[in-house]
């Protein structure tokens, strides 16, 4: 299964972050896979779980996780096109089964994003760096 987070707002809008592990941890701790610099993100904020289906699990974060505008404090199934908000981070979820091409996001996904120069920076532990991602996915 191919799972990606697509940045929905901020100076990295449209940037694709591949979910490279079955348990992809997002938080500020050094051993997290995706490490935002924002204090609004807990050290171990949430996990994207990839198996027969894709879900997000809040790991006891202070500011919570929102899926399509609804806060979830437990594990919630994700579907292609879902909006995932983690503290100040705003993503669209893109999911495809192996062998299938990645589906397009809804037109509203690209139209609703706002460019925010104060958006937190993000570092990736196991995925490509943003420069490599920029090289792979030049702006359209």
């Amino acid at each position: 299964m191919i799972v990606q987070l697509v940045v929905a707002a901020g100076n990295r809008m449209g940037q694709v972050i591949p979910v490279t592990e079955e348990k992809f941890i997002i938080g500020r701790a050094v051993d997290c896979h995706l490490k935002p610099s924002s204090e609004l993100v807990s050290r171990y904020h949430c996990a994207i779980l990839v198996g027969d289906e894709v879900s997000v699990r809040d790991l006891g974060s202070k500011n919570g996780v929102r899926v399509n505008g609804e806060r979830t404090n437990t594990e919630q199934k994700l579907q292609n096109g879902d909006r995932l908000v983690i503290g100040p981070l705003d993503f669209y979820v893109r999911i495809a089964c192996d062998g299938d091409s990645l589906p397009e996001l809804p037109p509203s996904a690209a139209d609703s994003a706002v460019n925010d120069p104060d958006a937190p920076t993000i570092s990736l532990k196991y995925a490509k760096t943003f420069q490599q991602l920029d090289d792979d996915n030049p702006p359209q």
Side-chain angles (χ1 to χ4, degrees):
M1 186 171 297
I2 300 169
V3 181
Q4 298 177 335
L5 300 177
V6 180
V7 180
N11 59 353
R12 295 278 182 198
M13 184 177 72
Q15 192 71 58
V16 176
I17 299 170
V19 175
T20 56
E21 304 290 321
E22 289 181 5
K23 187 173 183 182
F24 188 84
I25 308 294
I26 300 172
R28 291 183 294 111
V30 284
D31 58 341
C32 291
H33 300 100
L34 183 66
K35 298 180 283 210
S37 63
S38 173
E39 292 294 320
L40 297 174
V41 175
S42 298
R43 287 178 34 91
Y44 295 98
H45 200 99
C46 67
I48 307 294
L49 306 172
V50 180
D52 292 335
E53 60 184 27
V54 180
S55 60
V56 61
R57 180 185 301 155
D58 189 316
L59 299 175
S61 67
K62 180 179 176 184
N63 292 308
V65 174
R66 293 190 179 277
V67 177
N68 299 323
E70 298 292 322
R71 186 170 177 160
T72 181
N73 295 319
T74 58
E75 189 171 320
Q76 183 170 337
K77 183 179 176 181
L78 295 173
Q79 297 185 19
N80 185 62
D82 279 350
R83 188 87 175 246
L84 180 63
V85 177
I86 302 162
L89 307 175
D90 194 350
F91 301 104
Y92 285 100
V93 179
R94 192 156 47 181
I95 302 169
C97 292
D98 290 332
D100 292 343
S101 60
L102 282 165
E104 293 295 318
L105 291 173
S108 61
D111 297 339
S112 65
V114 176
N115 202 2
D116 179 6
D118 297 324
T121 57
I122 300 171
S123 64
L124 302 170
K125 182 174 181 181
Y126 296 109
K128 294 180 178 182
T129 65
F130 273 120
Q131 184 58 51
Q132 289 170 313
L133 289 169
D134 287 341
D135 293 343
D136 291 346
N137 301 300
Q140 306 267 335

